[in-house]
Amino acid sequence: MAADAEPLSPPVPEAKFKRVMLKISGEALMGPQGFGLHPPTVERIAREVKSVHDLGVEICMVIGGGNIFRGLQGSAQGMERTTADYMGMLATVMNALAMQSSLEAMGVFTRVISAIPMDQVCEPYIRRRAVRHLEKKRVCIFAAGTGNPYFTTDTAATLRANEMACQAIFKGTKVDGVYDKDPVKYPDAKRFERVSYDEVLAQHLGVMDASAIALARDNNVPIIVFSLDEPDGFRGILAGQGTYTTVHG
C-alpha cells in the first residue's frame, strides 16, 4: 500500500432482512427513572436504530405507551375501558415524537404516522404513503396502535408489519430471548433458540399477546426476541450475530 493511501474501511455486513418492524415497549424509554421519558435512553435506542438504518435496512417502529399511561391499568382503577385505551394510544404518539426528534437529530429522516388523525403533529395512516416513505429510506414510526380500543401495541405492530410487507418483527425486551419461565426469578430458566407460534400460545410464553402471535402465524412473519439493553444487539442480529430467540412456523 502506498504511504499516502487511506486505510481500507471494514466491510459493512449485509443485513439478513431488507425491511423489518421493531417493536419496543414504552417502559424501554423511561430508563432508570421509573416513569416518563429518559432522554439519554431515548438517544441510545435511536442510535441503535440508526446503526441498522446505516446498513440499508428499511425500518418500521411501534412503541408502546406504558411509560406514560396504560389503558388496562386505568380500566382496572375504575376508568371506562375505551377511554383508558384511547389515552394509552395518545401516550404512544408522545413516545413516537420523542423518538422522531432523537433520530432526526442524528440525520435519519423519520415519519410519525398515527392511526388517529392529528395533522398538526404527524401524518394519518395511509398504507401506500407509508410504503413510499420506506422506499425512500425514511424510518416510519406507527403510533396510536390500530386506532381501536381493546387492541394492544403488539397487535398493532404485527398488523403494520404485515401491511408493510416486513420480513421480520423484532421485539426488543429486557432479556435476550424467550425463556420457559422468568429468568429474573428463576436462575435455571431455559432459553429457546427457536420456538413455534403454537408453542408460544400453548405454553403462554408471553412473547406477545395471543392476537399478535396468531396474526404473525397466519402470515408466516417470524418474530425475533432480543435484549434491547445489549449494545449493538439489533444491528448484530441483522448481521447474523448475537443471542436471540426466533418464533416461527
Side-chain angles (χ1 to χ4, degrees), residues 39-88:
T41 300
V42 176
E43 182 181 341
R44 176 182 63 80
I45 295 172
R47 196 175 298 113
E48 285 273 329
V49 174
K50 181 183 185 302
S51 72
V52 171
H53 184 265
D54 289 345
L55 295 177
V57 178
E58 297 171 3
I59 302 172
C60 307
M61 292 183 71
V62 168
I63 307 172
N67 57 320
I68 298 171
F69 188 87
R70 186 180 291 278
L72 271 174
Q73 290 179 354
S75 177
Q77 294 173 13
M79 186 176 291
E80 195 269 323
R81 173 65 188 272
T82 302
T83 299
D85 278 356
Y86 279 124
M87 291 173 69

Side-chain angles (χ1 to χ4, degrees), residues 81 99 134 170:
R81 173 65 188 272
M99 182 59 63
L134 291 171
F170 281 72

Side-chain angles (χ1 to χ4, degrees), residues 6-30:
E6 292 190 10
L8 294 174
S9 299
V12 175
E14 184 175 346
K16 292 173 63 177
F17 303 106
K18 298 300 182 185
R19 181 179 294 173
V20 300
M21 166 64 73
L22 174 62
K23 166 62 172 68
I24 62 177
S25 67
E27 287 90 338
L29 303 184
M30 66 188 184

Side-chain angles (χ1 to χ4, degrees), residues 1 13 23 29 38 42 54 57 63 65 83 93 105 107 114 124 128 165-166 188 192 194 213 216 223 228 239 243-244:
M1 181 184 292
K23 166 62 172 68
L29 303 184
H38 184 240
V42 176
D54 289 345
V57 178
I63 307 172
T83 299
V93 177
S114 172
R128 287 180 179 271
C166 292
D188 62 339
F192 298 97
R194 296 174 66 84
I213 295 294
I223 303 168
L228 203 61
T243 304
Y244 55 92

Side-chain angles (χ1 to χ4, degrees), residues 1-222:
M1 181 184 292
D4 58 348
E6 292 190 10
L8 294 174
S9 299
V12 175
E14 184 175 346
K16 292 173 63 177
F17 303 106
K18 298 300 182 185
R19 181 179 294 173
V20 300
M21 166 64 73
L22 174 62
K23 166 62 172 68
I24 62 177
S25 67
E27 287 90 338
L29 303 184
M30 66 188 184
Q33 62 193 22
F35 180 80
L37 288 157
H38 184 240
T41 300
V42 176
E43 182 181 341
R44 176 182 63 80
I45 295 172
R47 196 175 298 113
E48 285 273 329
V49 174
K50 181 183 185 302
S51 72
V52 171
H53 184 265
D54 289 345
L55 295 177
V57 178
E58 297 171 3
I59 302 172
C60 307
M61 292 183 71
V62 168
I63 307 172
N67 57 320
I68 298 171
F69 188 87
R70 186 180 291 278
L72 271 174
Q73 290 179 354
S75 177
Q77 294 173 13
M79 186 176 291
E80 195 269 323
R81 173 65 188 272
T82 302
T83 299
D85 278 356
Y86 279 124
M87 291 173 69
M89 291 179 215
L90 296 178
T92 71
V93 177
M94 296 171 68
N95 285 338
L97 291 172
M99 182 59 63
Q100 178 186 45
S101 177
S102 196
L103 282 168
E104 294 200 331
M106 299 176 187
V108 179
F109 292 108
T110 309
R111 295 291 185 272
V112 173
I113 302 171
S114 172
I116 299 174
M118 48 186 80
D119 296 343
Q120 286 82 356
V121 294
C122 51
E123 293 185 7
Y125 177 68
I126 299 171
R127 189 188 68 84
R128 287 180 179 271
R129 182 187 291 176
V131 169
R132 187 64 179 140
H133 287 321
L134 291 171
E135 291 170 348
K136 291 183 176 181
K137 306 303 179 185
R138 297 165 182 158
V139 173
C140 288
I141 307 175
F142 296 103
T146 65
N148 302 287
Y150 295 95
F151 288 92
T152 67
T153 49
D154 281 343
T155 301
T158 310
L159 174 65
R160 297 294 184 235
N162 281 296
E163 290 178 301
M164 296 297 107
C166 292
Q167 295 169 296
I169 300 168
F170 281 72
K171 175 74 181 286
T173 69
K174 292 187 176 297
V175 294
D176 58 357
V178 180
Y179 286 77
D180 60 351
K181 49 190 172 184
D182 189 345
V184 176
K185 296 180 181 177
Y186 304 97
D188 62 339
K190 173 191 171 186
R191 186 178 63 82
F192 298 97
E193 292 285 341
R194 296 174 66 84
V195 63
S196 72
Y197 304 111
D198 290 337
E199 287 172 319
V200 168
L201 292 171
Q203 298 180 40
H204 304 285
L205 294 178
V207 177
M208 289 180 163
D209 66 79
S211 297
I213 295 294
L215 187 56
R217 179 192 61 193
D218 292 348
N219 293 278
N220 199 30
V221 181

